[in-house]
Amino acid sequence: MILLFNIGFLEISAVDMADIALVSILLYQVYKLMRGSVAVKIFLGFLSLYLTYLVVKAAEMELLSAILGQFMGVGVLAAIILFQQEIRKFLLIIGKSTALNRENIMKNFPWKRAADNREFSITPIIEAAKTLGGSNTGALIVFSKSSELKFYAESGDLIDAYVSKRLLLSIFNKNSPLHDGAAIIYRGKIKAARCILPVTEQDNLPAQFGLRHRAAIGMSEATDTLILIVSEETGQISLAKNGRILHNLSSQELRTKINQYLYEDVDWTEENVPSVKEQKKNKKQEVKNVA
Ligand SMILES: Nc1ncnc2c1ncn2[C@@H]1O[C@H](COP(=O)(O)OP(=O)(O)OP(=O)(O)O)[C@@H](O)[C@H]1O
């Protein structure tokens, strides 16, 4: 092993440095996944318990260290249960970037890419969203490109019909028995309507975001999907992906973002999607600049 330097009695090798760098990257990625969710608070709670356990053990306090030791013993199991969402997200990211991913393999075949592109026109969806927004009719539409989302589709009513503006308008019509919940679109077909989505646990969302927006963000955290939201209250249209939301979008912005999702696979990060507060500030600035 190549020895780099000594700190007191500690011998630091190149492997140790690589180990520390990898752990730092891993911890940073975990922090990025958990940021803004209640999981951070649970993680800090866990960490303080673990530190207390180490102190109590070093001080040889038998009873307390035995009790905390029991708790630490089931720590891994408890962590899996408590951090299910974050672990799912983490595995999803790894699965998405791995070379074995079906989509990644298919991307290399030009005829396959062309076939997928031909399959699907998003114009009826954008027009339907605009019409729904204009009449203050709420809607929730999930775009999936890698799976039919059977688990979520089965929570609602299966449809399996080609997308059309009329069909979307009748699903989300306030008098329709299908209007509650979300519609799922996969490869140009409406797979299901009235689907129940997981609700996000983020506690720093603007107050105006009720259950519809929270369900969209929750779905984008749990799966590799893009979710379109039409607000019943304001008629504004938003998109959610990777736990982030782009608020109050124009038709052109909608088209660009949906096409990006379907054919380019751009992840939404803190760097390329500002917070809702910043988005509002930017929009105000744009209006001022035009005036
Ligand atoms: N878990 C869920 N999965 C799917 N749809 C949901 C879920 N929770 C709520 N909804 C939908 O959201 C509707 C309630 O929306 P709510 O008014 O609370 O949301 P909001 O974010 O304030 O949106 P809006 O601006 O449209 O009022 C429900 O009628 C239902 O259709």
Side-chain angles (χ1 to χ4, degrees), residues 147-163:
S147 87
E148 290 182 49
L149 300 174
K150 275 215 161 101
F151 175 75
Y152 296 103
E154 278 165 8
S155 67
D157 293 312
L158 300 179
I159 293 180
D160 203 31
Y162 283 107
V163 170

Side-chain angles (χ1 to χ4, degrees), residues 32-90:
K32 260 177 53 179
L33 279 181
M34 294 201 288
R35 192 169 36 192
S37 73
V38 281
V40 178
K41 286 167 194 158
I42 299 173
F43 181 70
L44 290 177
F46 243 125
L47 199 68
S48 37
L49 259 184
Y50 183 62
L51 291 178
T52 315
Y53 170 65
L54 289 183
V55 172
V56 162
K57 211 170 145 198
E60 292 179 7
M61 296 166 83
E62 296 289 328
L63 193 59
L64 202 51
S65 72
I67 294 170
L68 288 176
Q70 290 289 329
F71 190 72
M72 292 297 140
V74 290
V76 177
L77 203 64
I80 291 174
I81 296 167
L82 289 170
F83 297 119
Q84 302 188 32
Q85 293 273 13
E86 284 67 27
I87 292 170
R88 275 178 67 115
K89 256 204 270 178
F90 185 63

Side-chain angles (χ1 to χ4, degrees), residues 138 140 179-182 195-199 208-215 230-234:
L140 202 50
H179 84 279
D180 237 0
C195 304
I196 299 166
L197 309 181
V199 176
Q208 92 235 33
F209 287 174
L211 269 178
R212 199 187 313 272
H213 290 80
R214 290 183 157 271
V230 182
S231 166
E232 190 175 357
E233 221 171 284
T234 61

